């Protein structure tokens, strides 16, 4: 194996290990993990109840699948953003900007623990509530489609990294992340369907989760043939958000390097 590739792999592994150590130090261990799972179960139950109040049993199943897929969003937007932006007040962001590994690559490699956190919380909600809401067979069908949930989680992560880049520009982190989360919730049709000729549907075409969620709901039905189209759509959306993040981080680095703006604290 060439030395360049060996060095890159070693660096990536080191970043992943440090990310895990940082996650364990920042959290309260088992108690924090349990609280995340409990909070996710109640969130999914709340959205499911809203779906039932809106459209009866069909709405309950619709909202349950949507809320299970939506469950990892907080982990890959709010939590990821908080971890990276904390480097600024700590005075260590300049090390990431000047390091040999691009900042976006560092952000991606540090995010794997939050993908796992979000997926695990989503799976807990599915196991706890699924048999009651969907029955055993329906729960298994959704579980089989969890690679789609992983895809939508990664897609939402790409948008979360863009939110993080906006926060590094000086915008309020909480405002940016909350707006992104609510847009995903509304435009992806998590609780109620989005009108195909409405403004939310149009905005949703450029937002993560929507296409993958439609594919997840279509599993086991006659429309399952649209699966690959939805996967391609979701992948393209993720790529576009990642590209936008890379461009914004590059612009920030140039402005900080030339002294046009200070690193916001």
């Amino acid at each position: 194996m060439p030395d360049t590739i060996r060095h890159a792999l070693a660096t990536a592994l080191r970043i992943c290990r440090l990310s895990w150590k940082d996650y364990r130090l920042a959290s309260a261990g088992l108690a924090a993990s349990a609280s995340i799972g409990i909070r996710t179960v109640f969130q999914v139950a709340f959205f499911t109840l809203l779906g039932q109040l809106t459209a009866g049993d069909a709405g309950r199943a619709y909202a349950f699948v949507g809320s299970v897929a939506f469950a990892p969003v907080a982990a890959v937007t709010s939590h990821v953003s908080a971890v990276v932006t904390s480097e600024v007040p700590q005075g260590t962001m300049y090390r990431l900007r000047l390091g040999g590994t691009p900042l976006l690559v560092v952000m991606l490699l540090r995010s794997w623990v939050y993908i796992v956190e979000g997926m695990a919380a989503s799976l807990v909600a599915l196991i706890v509530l699924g048999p009651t809401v969907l029955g055993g067979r329906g729960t298994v069908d959704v579980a089989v489609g969890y690679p789609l949930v992983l895809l939508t989680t990664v897609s939402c992560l790409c948008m979360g990294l863009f939110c993080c880049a906006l926060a590094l520009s000086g915008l309020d982190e909480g405002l940016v992340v909350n707006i992104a989360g609510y847009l995903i919730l509304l435009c992806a049709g998590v609780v109620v369907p989005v009108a195909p000729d409405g403004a939310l549907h149009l905005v949703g075409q450029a937002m993560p989760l929507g296409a993958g969620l439609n594919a997840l709901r279509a599993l086991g039905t006659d429309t399952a043939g649209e699966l690959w189209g939805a996967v391609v759509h979701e992948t393209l959306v993720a790529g576009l958000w990642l590209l936008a993040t890379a461009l914004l981080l590059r612009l920030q680095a140039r402005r900080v390097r030339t002294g046009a703006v200070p690193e916001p604290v």
Side-chain angles (χ1 to χ4, degrees), residues 8-256:
L9 292 176
T11 301
L13 183 59
R14 188 178 302 115
I15 294 173
C16 290
R17 287 175 176 172
L18 289 174
S19 177
W20 171 240
K21 291 181 179 180
D22 180 63
Y23 179 80
R24 287 191 301 169
L25 290 173
S27 66
L30 183 60
S33 300
S35 66
I36 291 171
I38 294 171
R39 184 170 65 247
T40 302
V41 169
F42 278 99
Q43 174 184 288
V44 171
F46 175 73
F47 285 146
T48 302
L49 178 60
L50 287 180
Q52 183 171 8
L53 293 175
T54 302
D57 291 343
R60 179 179 65 175
Y62 184 95
F64 176 74
V65 175
S67 57
V68 163
F70 179 77
V73 170
V76 296
T77 55
S78 178
H79 297 179
V80 166
S81 181
V83 168
V84 178
T85 54
S86 66
E87 301 282 352
V88 177
Q90 292 174 4
T92 50
M93 177 55 71
Y94 79 96
R95 294 178 181 270
L96 297 181
R97 292 199 187 278
L98 297 176
T101 305
L103 178 57
L104 180 57
V105 174
V106 175
M107 291 165 65
L108 282 169
L109 292 173
R110 291 178 66 172
S111 300
W112 73 269
V113 289
Y114 298 100
I115 294 177
V116 174
E117 175 191 300
M119 291 289 293
S122 174
L123 190 58
V124 167
L126 176 65
I127 293 172
V128 172
L129 300 175
T132 302
V133 178
L134 301 178
R137 177 61 183 274
T139 302
V140 171
D141 288 341
V142 175
V144 170
Y146 252 66
L148 287 171
V149 179
L150 175 60
L151 174 62
T152 59
T153 299
V154 173
S155 181
C156 291
L157 168 66
C158 294
M159 186 177 181
L161 293 178
F162 182 76
C163 293
C164 179
L166 289 177
L168 289 175
S169 297
L171 297 180
D172 182 77
E173 178 187 340
L175 177 63
V176 171
V177 170
N178 283 325
I179 289 176
Y182 286 124
L183 279 176
I184 294 173
L185 179 66
L186 291 173
C187 297
V190 172
V191 179
V192 294
V194 176
D197 56 348
L200 288 180
H201 177 75
L202 183 61
V203 174
Q205 298 304 299
M207 302 289 290
L209 186 61
L213 178 54
N214 289 336
L216 181 64
R217 289 188 173 119
L219 289 178
T221 68
D222 295 336
T223 58
E226 302 174 2
L227 170 64
W228 291 111
V231 169
V232 171
H233 185 165
E234 194 73 34
T235 304
L236 286 175
V237 168
L240 289 174
W241 282 108
L242 201 60
L243 176 61
T245 304
L247 294 175
L248 182 55
L249 289 175
R250 184 172 182 178
L251 176 62
Q252 289 174 1
R254 180 182 301 173
R255 298 186 68 189
V256 171

